[in-house]
Amino acid sequence: MSEVTEVTDEKQPVITPVRVIVALCLVAPFVAMLWVGSYAKTEPTFVGMPFFYWYQMLWVLISTALTMIAYKLWQRDQRARKGGASK
């Protein structure tokens, strides 16, 4: 009896340096916020606000920037894979 192998046209996921950077940009805020022990303190204060609060507010801005960077890199990667126009 002969075995029949089924061939599919689906492409396997490709891990590229750009995709690793995108993943790191998206994971960094989660790691920073889930590691509570690193920021569960009151000192140093900033404008009278305990570290615990201003650290989290700073990560809101950092998360926004990292998400924007990840999105732009992802768009560039997708255009490069499809061979589309660069814009």
Side-chain angles (χ1 to χ4, degrees), residues 75-87:
Q75 280 184 324
R76 191 177 84 182
D77 184 58
Q78 292 302 305
R79 279 195 306 268
R81 286 179 55 104
K82 292 180 182 176
S86 64
K87 186 175 180 181

Side-chain angles (χ1 to χ4, degrees), residues 20-56:
V20 171
I21 293 169
V22 167
L24 289 174
C25 285
L26 296 175
V27 169
F30 288 104
V31 173
M33 290 293 93
L34 290 176
W35 187 21
V36 178
S38 70
Y39 63 93
K41 51 190 171 186
T42 57
E43 296 291 329
T45 59
F46 178 71
V47 194
M49 189 182 309
F51 181 74
F52 181 79
Y53 295 112
W54 68 260
Y55 179 82
Q56 291 180 46

